[in-house]
Amino acid sequence: MNDTNPETLTTIEQAFEILELIHSNNGGKPTDIADSMDVSSSTAHRYLNTLVEKGYLVKEDGVYYLALKFLTLGERARTRKNVYTSAEEYADMLAEESGCRSTFIVEENLQGIYLYTSAGSHSVWTQSTIGKRIPLHATAGGKAILASLSDDKVARIIDQGLERKTSSTITSASTLREQLTTIRDRGYAFNREEQIQGVNAVGAPVTDNSGEVIGAFSVSGPSNRLNGDRFTSELPQILLGITNEYELRITLS
């Protein structure tokens, strides 16, 4: 027996669509929402006012914005697992030892999500905002995670499309699969300007006692600095050392 009410589902979907629109545009007016969703202004007003009443939006000078309630929800999601909270300490260690920007990402719903980011002494901004979703195939940490996933899950990720982020992004399924085999063998992944032009990165997967992948650490920086032996040898060794320490902590906890 199916008790789902189609009208209720539509209402929920539209409410989330409004939140996504306001997030993407850093705010929105009722007319903007009505035009984007092809609904009447009165309908848009009702949705917006309900979301304000529930604490998910705030209204300032006629413009609606996401409310700070999302901070509470996001923090609860970010710290839901102990292994996530302890990763922050090791991301900081990695940034300090490497001098690069370090990140810790996890896979959720076939995408990568930044949980932590830490700036090193010589780091640059790489758009690694906490909570941001990224394509796994275009990042070092993402490819490290991909190499640790089941063949079925990798196939599902490939089937949804390999988005091109730069001219260096891997968009060929066969090329990606070849790289994943190499990554499994050596234990870490490279990103050579595949997500952001001019930025290189190295990533390594983190696995638990059972061998299941939890996430991945990575370090990144300008391609004119991250090259040669420092990129292909020195940074991977630093990365693997921190990753192994973290995995040991997980094992003993």
Side-chain angles (χ1 to χ4, degrees):
M1 179 177 175
N2 189 348
D3 295 327
T4 303
N5 185 329
E7 290 185 6
T8 300
L9 282 177
T10 300
T11 299
I12 293 171
E13 289 169 353
Q14 288 181 324
F16 279 113
E17 186 177 348
I18 288 172
L19 293 174
E20 291 286 353
L21 284 168
I22 289 175
H23 171 259
S24 298
N25 297 305
N26 194 27
K29 296 181 179 180
T31 52
D32 300 329
I33 301 301
D35 290 343
S36 296
M37 298 180 61
D38 194 23
V39 297
S40 67
S41 294
S42 59
T43 298
H45 270 287
R46 285 197 298 274
Y47 274 109
L48 291 166
N49 290 335
T50 299
L51 289 168
V52 169
E53 290 171 6
K54 295 298 182 181
Y56 292 101
L57 294 178
V58 293
K59 182 181 180 183
E60 298 175 5
D61 298 325
V63 181
Y64 293 81
Y65 300 94
L66 297 182
L68 294 178
K69 183 173 185 175
F70 283 101
L71 288 176
T72 302
L73 299 175
E75 186 64 13
R76 178 61 61 86
R78 190 174 73 96
T79 59
R80 181 171 58 88
K81 296 183 179 180
N82 290 334
V83 292
Y84 291 171
T85 57
S86 58
E88 185 171 8
E89 175 187 346
Y90 288 83
D92 289 339
M93 290 167 55
L94 182 56
E96 182 177 355
E97 191 167 339
S98 68
C100 301
R101 179 172 295 277
S102 73
T103 63
F104 180 72
I105 73 169
V106 297
E107 179 270 329
E108 183 181 77
N109 295 330
L110 307 183
Q111 292 182 302
I113 300 177
Y114 289 113
L115 282 194
Y116 302 106
T117 178
S118 183
S121 56
H122 302 292
S123 69
V124 295
W125 177 243
T126 58
Q127 303 174 1
S128 50
T129 308
I130 292 175
K132 181 178 180 180
R133 293 179 176 271
I134 53 173
L136 292 170
H137 70 283
T139 63
K143 287 193 288 184
I145 290 175
L146 272 175
S148 306
L149 296 177
S150 66
D151 291 341
D152 176 66
K153 201 161 191 178
V154 171
R156 287 163 58 199
I157 290 170
I158 289 174
D159 287 345
Q160 72 180 2
L162 301 177
E163 178 187 0
R164 182 179 295 281
K165 304 296 287 186
T166 73
S167 59
S168 300
T169 305
I170 297 172
T171 57
S172 162
S174 59
T175 301
L176 178 62
R177 290 183 190 279
E178 289 174 7
Q179 268 208 21
L180 296 183
T181 299
T182 301
I183 293 166
R184 291 187 195 102
D185 292 340
R186 70 179 172 217
Y188 52 89
F190 291 115
N191 162 12
R192 293 179 169 88
E193 303 187 61
E194 296 163 44
Q195 181 189 14
I196 302 172
Q197 201 72 38
V199 175
N200 285 346
V202 190
V206 175
T207 56
D208 62 17
N209 304 359
S210 66
E212 290 292 315
V213 64
I214 296 169
F217 286 111
S218 68
V219 290
S220 61
S223 55
N224 64 337
R225 281 197 218 147
L226 267 59
N227 54 38
D229 289 343
R230 172 159 171 73
F231 181 52
T232 60
S233 180
E234 180 183 341
L235 285 177
Q237 292 310 307
I238 293 173
L239 177 64
L240 291 175
I242 297 293
T243 300
N244 290 341
E245 286 183 40
Y246 180 56
E247 289 178 332
L248 179 61
R249 174 171 173 167
I250 293 171
T251 300
L252 298 177
S253 63

